[in-house]
Amino acid sequence: MLSSALRTSLRRTATSQTSTPARALATWAQIEMGPPDAILGITEAFKRDGDARKMNLGVGAYRTDEGKPYVLGAVRKAEEALLAKRLDKEYLPITGLAKFTGAAAELAYGADSSALGRVAITQTISGTGALRVGGAFLQRFYKTQQTVYLPSPSWGNHAAVFRDCGLKVANYRYYDAATRGLNLGAMLDDLRALPRGSIVLLHACAHNPTGVDPTPAQWQQIQSVVEEREHLAFFDMAYQGFASGDADRDAAALRAFVAAGKAPVVLSQSFAKNMGLYGERVGTFSIVGADAAERDRLLSQIKILVRPLYSNPPINGARIASEVLNNAPLRTEWLGEVKQMADRIIGMRTALRSRLEELGSAHSWNHITDQIGMFCYTGLKPEQVDRLAKDFHIYLTRDGRVSVAGITTANVNYLAESIHSVTKN
């Protein structure tokens, strides 16, 4: 029979063993449920909808005219060529695959750009990773200002990325809700009023979410103010070639800033949209230095930043992009395919506007074709967006942004008729 003292000791041990896990579980009890992602919520609602007419116009990924994901022919051929080479799976250097980053720099800045020899460039985990590396670099080394000024509105992830880098975030006026176009006067006024040397984020082309881009003449005015105020121009270029169908035209604003050499320029570059490498996560971040020596110093510090973030970037997508960019026939085929994708988007804009006008809509829909790129800011109100989902099984973000890639020749008339129904009164 157990003694009284031993029984007491065993009870204390048992109590201690059962209470320890409870205390450990309570460590995270104070953490609240985070808000759901807006785009994910749209996709989930779309999946639950059993109606045959349903449309998902929320996701920013290209679709064919049959509504299917598209792998570019040039990408398929590049994959086949790489597979035949039976390459290894070794680590890349910290700054990535040199053949890829070299070709990416040429694509962005122009093959004849005098800046190429002084561009510090690193491969990143697509455009988001480029923004994060860029934000971390500016937070550590750009002490002139520590606030990033975004256009209002801007891509939803911009603010979160820069805040998580330890930078402050503010806005300058950009979109004019009344005209559904660019509010150039207000934008220039705000850029002039910013503290000298501010970090100004600029969408190089195909502004997300509005699809509103400055004209070449308007870009000249923007550049003049940025230079006058000695701001740092942080270009985000996620749609080169995909906006107009011409990669050189889409990079014109970036190249004009660099050619003038009067404002510091950094660039976030993505190959998700224009090469369809969404899941491969292929991008670059680059800084235009004053000379080769400064380039090397910049690159040395970029390496120090990247090493504890993700050590080095993934290899497969970079190899694919490199094969496409450096193989002349594949590059030509790719540029042709990018133009075809851009032309399909432009064609769907025209078809949607035409059908709305045929229906006798009292509203002006010029902005549908005036805007460019994957997204269209329709001007629909949140309650109209809600009704599109409830009554017509059409899903988009509540700010009225439509992913034009989700429109096809088979559903464009239904979309136009549905929009007309929710806006005619």
Side-chain angles (χ1 to χ4, degrees):
M1 186 175 233
L2 296 175
S3 69
S4 175
L6 183 56
R7 285 198 300 270
T8 300
S9 175
L10 289 172
R11 280 198 298 270
R12 286 174 178 169
T13 300
T15 301
S16 174
Q17 289 174 342
T18 55
S19 62
T20 298
R23 285 199 299 271
L25 290 172
T27 302
W28 313 117
Q30 79 283 7
I31 295 179
E32 298 178 356
M33 178 68 72
D37 182 86
I39 301 298
L40 181 61
I42 291 169
T43 301
E44 291 302 314
F46 170 79
K47 289 178 178 178
R48 290 193 300 269
D49 193 325
D51 195 282
R53 299 166 297 174
K54 67 180 182 178
M55 297 175 65
N56 185 354
L57 302 180
V59 178
Y62 182 78
R63 295 291 182 262
T64 66
D65 198 44
E66 292 73 41
K68 303 296 183 183
Y70 178 53
V71 179
L72 280 68
V75 168
R76 286 291 192 208
K77 290 176 183 176
E79 288 179 316
E80 291 168 1
L82 291 169
L83 187 62
K85 294 178 183 179
R86 301 182 64 82
L87 299 171
D88 59 47
K89 301 294 183 182
E90 292 293 300
Y91 290 123
L92 282 176
I94 295 173
T95 53
L97 187 67
K99 284 186 176 181
F100 161 64
T101 56
E106 285 191 8
L107 181 71
Y109 296 102
D112 58 350
S113 174
S114 61
L116 287 177
R118 49 192 171 89
V119 170
I121 186 167
T122 184
Q123 182 184 331
T124 58
I125 304 175
S126 202
T128 305
L131 291 164
R132 186 61 186 260
V133 171
F137 185 91
L138 294 176
Q139 191 278 331
R140 184 171 295 185
F141 295 107
Y142 189 73
K143 299 305 182 183
T144 307
Q145 297 290 339
Q146 288 278 288
T147 300
V148 180
Y149 291 89
L150 308 176
S152 180
S154 195
W155 180 47
N157 214 19
H158 274 145
V161 168
F162 290 123
R163 285 195 186 105
D164 279 359
C165 290
L167 295 167
K168 296 177 182 177
V169 175
N171 296 99
Y172 61 85
R173 286 173 291 176
Y174 185 88
Y175 178 72
D176 187 337
T179 65
R180 300 187 181 112
L182 180 66
N183 192 344
L184 181 65
M187 178 183 181
L188 295 177
D189 287 344
D190 285 356
L191 293 180
R192 289 190 187 98
L194 297 182
R196 186 173 295 275
S198 291
I199 303 167
V200 177
L201 185 125
L202 299 165
H203 296 233
C205 60
H207 181 275
N208 179 3
T210 69
V212 174
D213 281 1
T215 65
Q218 290 170 335
W219 267 119
Q220 289 178 6
Q221 296 180 68
I222 295 165
Q223 180 177 339
S224 178
V225 174
V226 169
E227 292 171 348
E228 173 193 326
R229 296 294 298 158
E230 299 177 352
H231 296 326
L232 183 148
F234 194 139
F235 278 93
D236 186 3
M237 188 158 65
Y239 297 92
Q240 187 183 3
F242 194 96
S244 67
D246 183 332
D248 292 325
R249 176 180 169 185
D250 290 347
L254 166 71
R255 294 176 185 180
F257 271 71
V258 173
K262 296 179 181 179
V265 173
V266 303
L267 170 68
S268 163
Q269 183 183 22
S270 170
F271 288 86
K273 304 295 195 300
N274 60 7
M275 211 172 274
L277 298 176
Y278 303 99
E280 296 286 0
R281 314 308 293 146
V282 185
T284 74
F285 170 71
S286 56
I287 308 173
V288 180
D291 51 37
E294 184 170 278
R295 173 204 63 198
D296 292 344
R297 294 197 306 274
L298 293 168
L299 206 54
S300 72
Q301 295 295 340
I302 288 173
K303 291 176 182 178
I304 291 170
L305 279 172
V306 167
R307 178 65 169 145
L309 276 176
Y310 52 84
S311 194
N312 46 51
I315 197 169
N316 191 61
R319 281 175 171 168
I320 294 169
S322 177
E323 188 77 12
V324 171
L325 293 172
N326 288 301
N327 179 307
L330 284 185
R331 182 187 177 97
T332 300
E333 181 177 347
W334 167 64
L335 290 172
E337 288 182 287
V338 174
K339 187 178 188 310
Q340 289 175 5
M341 291 192 293
D343 287 348
R344 194 186 92 72
I345 296 290
I346 293 167
M348 287 299 98
R349 287 181 177 276
T350 301
L352 178 60
R353 174 186 167 183
S354 296
R355 183 57 182 150
L356 281 164
E357 291 172 347
E358 288 172 2
L359 292 167
S361 175
H363 304 284
S364 170
W365 298 101
N366 293 359
H367 59 284
I368 294 177
T369 50
D370 289 343
Q371 296 169 12
I372 194 169
M374 183 173 288
F375 300 109
C376 173
Y377 233 40
T378 60
L380 293 172
K381 298 178 176 63
E383 59 270 20
Q384 293 169 331
V385 172
D386 292 342
R387 192 177 162 213
L388 280 176
K390 180 182 177 182
D391 296 344
F392 300 96
H393 313 278
I394 297 171
Y395 299 88
L396 54 146
T397 54
R398 296 191 81 237
D399 58 5
R401 188 197 78 168
V402 161
S403 176
V404 185
I407 306 174
T408 69
T409 52
N411 64 28
V412 65
N413 286 344
Y414 176 68
L415 174 62
E417 291 155 10
S418 302
I419 291 175
H420 182 55
S421 293
V422 302
T423 58
K424 63 183 177 182
N425 294 324

